[in-house]
């Protein structure tokens, strides 16, 4: 990343400077954080974990205003879990 930045700044005579390395490091760190965040939110090992994540997404999106139970049960991911539980409990 640092080399690319140096080349883009001066293609004829690229010189990697401390700021280039810091820039590259910041990009890599942000990318790692984004990947970890996505994995935590969307990778699941079980149906119950998928349901938990779906519920958390709805609550986070609602923010301080909260969410009504009826809206929660119709939310994407939550509604499917409810349908599956109704079928398997019959």
């Amino acid at each position: 990343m640092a080399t690319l930045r140096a080349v883009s700044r001066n293609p004829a005579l690229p010189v990697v400077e401390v700021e280039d390395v810091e820039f590259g490091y910041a990009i890599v760190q942000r990318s790692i954080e984004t990947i970890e965040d996505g994995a935590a939110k969307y990778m699941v090992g079980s149906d119950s974990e998928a349901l938990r994540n779906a519920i958390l997404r709805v609550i986070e999106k609602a923010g301080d205003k909260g969410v009504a139970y009826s809206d929660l049960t119709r939310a994407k991911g939550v509604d499917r879990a409810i349908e599956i539980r109704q079928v398997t409990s019959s």
Side-chain angles (χ1 to χ4, degrees):
M1 297 297 300
T3 304
L4 291 173
R5 187 169 187 222
V7 169
S8 69
R9 185 178 52 250
N10 186 351
L13 185 62
V15 176
V16 175
E17 299 174 1
V18 172
E19 292 82 14
D20 300 322
V21 174
E22 290 172 344
F23 173 82
Y25 182 80
I27 297 259
V28 169
Q29 284 301 113
R30 181 65 179 130
S31 296
I32 290 170
E33 291 169 7
T34 301
I35 291 168
E36 288 176 342
D37 184 51
K41 285 184 178 178
Y42 301 108
M43 290 184 68
V44 296
S46 66
D47 289 341
S48 60
E49 190 175 0
L51 176 59
R52 180 189 65 90
N53 287 352
I55 292 170
L56 285 173
R57 281 193 298 274
V58 172
I59 292 170
E60 287 172 354
K61 184 177 178 183
D64 292 340
K65 67 180 181 175
V67 60
Y69 179 76
S70 59
D71 293 334
L72 178 63
T73 59
R74 290 191 304 267
K76 182 179 178 182
V78 179
D79 59 349
R80 178 155 162 55
I82 291 170
E83 290 172 12
I84 291 170
R85 289 177 189 229
Q86 288 173 346
V87 168
T88 57
S89 65
S90 298

